[in-house]
Amino acid sequence: MASGPVTRRRLIEAAECLFAERGAEAVSLREIALAAGQRNTHTVQYHFGAKRALVDAVFEHRMAPVNARRVAMLEAFEAQGRGGDPYALAEAFVVPLAEMLGDVGRPSWYLRFCVRAAYTGDPALPARPSGSAEEEHLVSGVRRIRARVEEALDHLPQALRADRWALFASSCTHALADREHRIEAGPHDELTPTPVFVAGLVDAAVAVLTAPARASTLALASGLSGPRA
């Protein structure tokens, strides 16, 4: 019989897969228990209580190691004098997430979970962590990256800086989610090696951050005090 921690992990990983494929709003706790090999369909409630707590557990299960890796990379870049280097910042954002990608025959689902989390209409599946002090071990790395990006883009109006960050983060996450799907579903013969894909994604992400703003764009944004819809 599996121990409590083992059962909990199985439930988290089963939920991650189902949420990624169908969205949290379309998945029942009973389905998650069955997918995790649990005959007692009340196991999820026993370990997590409600779906929201399970969603949070999926996020923490993956983001705690991702954040630790980001922080370590950022500190190494700072020690090298590269704290403000756009390539270092893009690597610190992309590489820890890319390390979550599975391999052919051993797929992962977390990146697709993240994308669904950003667009679902289900209030049980938040688009991002709230940023509370208790979640510092999940978000401190990305906060540091964003602060550095803001410094690098201080020549742009605030509204454009906000849009650049959103485009950077979204395009990286979506590209990784698409890669994750292709690793699972194929066609595998069209996949470039993962190190090549990651290097190219970092280059493209830096291009998003550092693209010059046209005078006409600056003129349009000059009257805005902040991001607008």
Side-chain angles (χ1 to χ4, degrees):
M1 180 179 296
S3 66
V6 171
T7 298
R8 195 174 193 279
R9 182 185 180 99
R10 287 177 180 171
L11 291 168
I12 289 171
E13 293 178 351
E16 177 184 64
C17 175
L18 292 172
F19 291 163
E21 291 178 342
R22 292 159 49 197
E25 70 280 9
V27 177
S28 70
L29 299 183
R30 182 177 184 276
E31 288 178 287
I32 293 166
L34 293 173
Q38 301 301 307
R39 286 175 291 183
N40 182 350
T41 56
H42 297 289
T43 303
V44 177
Q45 292 96 319
Y46 174 79
H47 283 277
F48 300 99
K51 186 185 290 185
R52 172 59 184 265
L54 180 53
V55 169
D56 290 343
V58 173
F59 188 78
E60 179 158 5
H61 177 60
R62 300 299 184 190
M63 281 308 300
V66 166
N67 188 66
R69 175 80 162 110
R70 277 185 176 149
V71 170
M73 291 181 70
L74 289 167
E75 290 178 352
F77 289 138
E78 291 281 358
Q80 297 165 13
R82 298 181 61 206
D85 179 355
Y87 286 94
L89 296 173
E91 285 181 22
F93 187 92
V94 169
V95 169
L97 288 175
E99 291 173 347
M100 306 296 288
L101 291 171
D103 298 312
V104 175
R106 294 189 302 124
S108 59
W109 287 271
Y110 181 64
L111 279 305
R112 285 171 285 177
F113 166 84
C114 288
V115 168
R116 277 199 178 268
Y119 291 101
T120 183
D122 185 354
L125 192 54
R128 58 182 63 85
S130 67
S132 65
E134 305 87 71
E135 292 171 327
E136 189 68 10
H137 68 297
L138 307 181
V139 299
S140 60
V142 79
R143 284 181 182 170
R144 287 172 63 175
I145 295 169
R146 181 165 188 177
R148 282 292 199 168
V149 167
E150 288 277 344
E151 292 173 6
L153 299 181
D154 65 356
H155 59 287
L156 296 178
Q158 197 276 332
L160 291 184
R161 295 200 303 272
D163 283 346
R164 283 288 179 93
W165 170 260
L167 181 58
F168 164 80
S170 176
S171 61
C172 289
T173 305
H174 277 76
L176 288 163
D178 179 70
R179 172 81 178 189
E180 184 181 69
H181 171 73
R182 293 178 66 197
I183 287 172
E184 180 191 11
H188 298 138
D189 59 352
E190 297 180 6
L191 287 173
T192 57
T194 295
V196 176
F197 169 80
V198 172
L201 179 56
V202 167
D203 290 344
V206 170
V208 168
L209 289 178
T210 61
R214 294 172 297 167
S216 57
T217 305
L218 294 172
L220 285 169
S222 62
L224 301 178
S225 59
R228 304 285 181 89

